[in-house]
Amino acid sequence: MRGYGETVLLDVLAGAAEAAPGQAVVHVDGDGTERTVSHRTLFADALRVAGGFLDAGLAPGSQVVLPVERSEEFLPLFWGAVAAGLVPVPLAPDVRRVLPVWEFLGRPPVVVGGSTESLLDALPGLVPSLTLDGLREHPAAPTLPKRAPDDVAFLQFSSGSTGAPKGVELTHAAVLANLAQIRAAAGINSADVLVTWMPYFHDMGLIGTHLVPLSARIKQVRLEPLTFARRPLRWLEAAARHRATLLSAANFALALVERRVPPDALARLDLTCVRMILVGAEPISPAVWRAFVGRMRPTGLPACAPTPVYGLAESTLAVTFPPPGEVARPLALDRAALGRGHAVDSAPGPEAVELMDVGGPVHGCSVRITDDTGRPVDERRVGHIEVSGPQVARGYHGAPEATAGAFRGAWLRTGDLGFLREGRLCVTGRSKDVVFVDGRTLHASDLEEVAASTPGLGLCPVAVVGSTDPADGGERVVVFLAPAPPLSAVAPELLHAVRRRVREALGHDDVRVLALPARGFPRTTSGKVRRGVLRDRFEGGEYPEIA
């Protein structure tokens, strides 16, 4: 399942340059300044960069690390590497991220743009490096290496939320298949305009907000992630200015908009053209969902626009989508039954768990739920989410054991837990993030919702982990909070209220509450809280207990 006769990834850019040469990628600076690059210009730039790579003697199939921050620098480097037959490895421009991957891959060249050249100073002197300016000095390559659909197009390193990052090998065929699946699921047409801020070193950023619109030959507008983090209003202003129809975000971004964009600023925006905000990349909080939807009403954002979706790097990106135009609402399920592995509908209330339905499989993809032995289970039974389809990756680079554990014949075991309900998927959490209490299996995301709903707490980062007391083997539930005021100003009564609320919901006494500064929450490069790191630090005695 591909589009426009494409067989390898470079066909996407070449086809866009030929069929829609004047269509634009718009790069937006933090001050609102915009620079427009046409498809034709991007393709010509990529061919010059490819000439530079080939003149440097890099052989087809070899890897190049791309820790590049600014979008107008990343795109010609990424496409230049693809055109030269190389395997680009997008990474966050952080030496703590780059060095381990560089070592793991056998010390390939590191390629930077002007905004990240300073990164080279922090790397060992023996790191082979290339720069965008230097590569651009070469003439376009007269001939390009041939690549095959089953060759690796690029390595997509997981963000490492539950363990060491792993490099996912995405073939040209898998990427093209998923681009076509996403276009069909989202109903993308030539009139669409996409506005994003998501980083290109993340799968939803590179694939969902660059490759998909490029393959559909529609206008794409991109703010830098730091611009969004500092002033999320800029994203919505750009959407209104460009009459965007498609946006994308993660759960933390919805919370950031709700917290930091004032209602009077929203009232001045017209977002009636937005037909879909794809929300994925991390677990979706129903409380955050409701708060965001309520906050956005003055903009005229259609009720059906916010759309919860599910995917992961090992399936290129997308796995499930709800139908366009459907209004998404949280499901209420009986907490006790869910703890026993059964999804039973319930009335909303303190005994209910709320989850988002993330739709059905994209075209050509299958989803099943299995038990620990790999046997499929019935609908409404919680188990391991497994995926099969043309978009599934080849495996993990240089990690045969990890590959064998996740890629099992035709099926990919995602590492997530969930259940099917009338053929549609609900995700309950990561298999490594469950909390065992008194013989029950509870999900960290549910307990986080319980803690976050404490009156007076407000929307603040919350994480929950389970921990075994080394003294008596008892089960502890640990709640981490990052309240908005300085820690010294947080009332102890509020923290005690959080503990009481979680204890009552669990029927379990050993609940600990720890308050941390927001920057004290360890996160992946895509913003997900690393619960495993929090657990290790707690058990190592790094965090003093406050409540």
Side-chain angles (χ1 to χ4, degrees):
M1 180 181 180
R2 298 171 189 152
Y4 309 113
E6 298 154 347
T7 59
V8 294
L9 184 56
L10 185 61
D11 294 339
V12 172
L13 178 57
E18 180 179 357
Q23 187 58 280
V25 180
V26 181
H27 306 280
V28 184
D29 281 339
D31 62 1
T33 302
E34 296 185 353
R35 293 175 308 288
T36 299
V37 177
S38 70
H39 291 169
R40 178 195 287 118
T41 299
L42 177 57
F43 187 42
D45 200 7
L47 292 180
R48 285 195 301 274
V49 172
F53 279 128
L54 294 174
D55 287 348
L58 299 184
S62 58
Q63 298 141 2
V64 287
V65 175
L66 302 183
V68 181
E69 192 165 33
R70 298 187 64 81
S71 57
E72 69 267 30
E73 297 175 342
F74 176 87
L75 294 183
L77 286 172
F78 175 82
W79 283 112
V82 170
L86 307 177
V87 178
V89 185
L91 291 177
D94 182 337
V95 67
R96 294 168 298 180
R97 179 71 166 162
V98 173
L99 267 180
V101 172
W102 175 73
E103 290 280 6
F104 173 74
L105 294 178
R107 303 185 174 188
V110 176
V111 190
V112 296
S115 62
T116 50
E117 280 195 39
S118 60
L119 179 70
L120 298 177
D121 296 334
L123 297 174
L126 297 178
V127 173
S129 62
L130 297 165
T131 67
L132 175 59
D133 288 344
L135 293 168
R136 275 176 167 159
E137 292 175 356
H138 294 257
T143 59
L144 297 174
K146 298 291 186 182
R147 304 298 285 162
D150 290 335
D151 289 337
V152 176
F154 58 95
L155 286 183
Q156 186 166 265
F157 270 79
S158 66
S159 53
S161 57
T162 58
K166 298 184 287 289
V168 179
E169 294 185 335
L170 293 179
T171 66
H172 293 266
V175 175
L176 293 178
N178 207 217
L179 297 185
Q181 290 170 321
I182 294 169
R183 290 197 305 268
I188 296 176
N189 61 71
S190 60
D192 279 316
V193 176
L194 183 142
V195 175
T196 184
W197 52 268
M198 301 194 85
Y200 286 148
F201 55 78
H202 187 271
D203 52 1
M204 198 167 178
L206 175 57
I207 298 165
T209 71
H210 174 61
L211 297 183
V212 167
L214 187 67
S215 71
R217 300 163 187 175
I218 65 173
K219 182 180 180 180
Q220 50 184 296
V221 180
R222 185 178 186 274
L223 290 76
E224 296 302 324
L226 188 58
T227 297
F228 171 77
R230 288 174 172 170
R231 195 178 178 195
L233 178 60
R234 292 284 193 200
W235 173 49
L236 302 176
E237 289 173 334
R241 185 166 63 251
H242 288 274
R243 306 299 291 164
T245 60
L246 302 172
L247 305 176
S248 63
N251 182 80
F252 82 88
L254 304 187
L256 195 63
V257 168
E258 201 282 332
R259 289 198 311 269
R260 296 183 51 186
V261 179
D264 61 330
L266 291 174
R268 295 192 293 269
L269 299 178
D270 177 3
L271 297 180
T272 54
C273 286
V274 177
R275 65 178 185 84
M276 188 174 284
I277 303 178
L278 299 175
V279 183
E282 64 177 340
I284 301 169
S285 161
V288 170
W289 186 273
R290 274 192 292 268
F292 175 80
V293 169
R295 177 59 64 95
M296 296 299 289
R297 287 196 183 101
T299 70
L301 181 75
C304 62
T307 304
V309 295
Y310 172 71
L312 66 160
E314 289 83 350
S315 68
T316 301
L317 178 59
V319 172
T320 65
F321 261 73
E326 179 180 277
V327 177
R329 295 185 177 89
L331 301 175
L333 304 168
D334 182 85
R335 176 177 285 110
L338 194 66
R340 297 190 298 271
H342 298 270
V344 178
D345 292 337
S346 171
E351 302 304 319
V353 175
E354 288 192 313
L355 296 172
M356 301 302 298
D357 174 330
V358 291
V362 295
H363 179 74
C365 175
S366 298
V367 174
R368 70 180 185 182
I369 308 298
T370 64
D371 61 19
D372 290 342
T373 69
R375 294 180 180 177
V377 299
D378 295 335
E379 282 211 339
R380 293 179 175 267
R381 289 296 304 270
V382 177
H384 300 277
I385 300 172
E386 297 191 355
V387 175
S388 179
Q391 81 275 31
V392 171
R394 194 164 75 180
Y396 297 116
H397 181 77
E401 291 185 6
T403 297
F407 297 85
R408 305 178 177 196
W411 292 93
L412 162 70
R413 178 165 284 197
T414 65
D416 292 319
L417 300 174
F419 60 90
L420 291 171
R421 181 178 180 270
E422 298 176 2
R424 295 168 58 125
L425 180 65
C426 293
V427 182
T428 58
R430 293 287 296 172
S431 60
K432 294 182 179 179
D433 285 336
V434 296
V435 178
F436 300 101
V437 173
D438 302 331
R440 294 169 291 158
T441 301
L442 305 170
H443 299 278
S445 55
D446 170 40
L447 300 180
E448 287 160 2
E449 288 286 311
V450 171
S453 64
T454 305
L457 186 61
L459 287 176
C460 76
V462 179
V464 172
V465 303
S467 173
T468 301
D469 190 330
D472 59 11
E475 298 155 327
R476 305 175 292 189
V477 175
V478 189
V479 182
F480 300 89
L481 307 171
L487 293 184
S488 59
V490 176
E493 293 79 9
L494 179 59
L495 302 180
H496 286 294
V498 172
R499 182 168 65 176
R500 283 195 302 273
R501 195 174 190 87
V502 176
R503 287 173 67 180
E504 289 170 3
L506 288 175
H508 182 76
D509 286 337
D510 197 347
V511 175
R512 322 288 179 93
V513 178
L514 292 85
L516 305 176
R519 293 180 181 272
F521 268 50
R523 296 181 181 272
T524 69
T525 54
S526 60
K528 300 176 188 176
V529 174
R530 301 182 67 183
R531 295 187 183 95
V533 174
L534 287 171
R535 179 189 299 107
D536 292 344
R537 291 177 180 175
F538 168 76
E539 293 178 346
E542 293 186 38
Y543 296 137
E545 293 183 45
I546 298 179

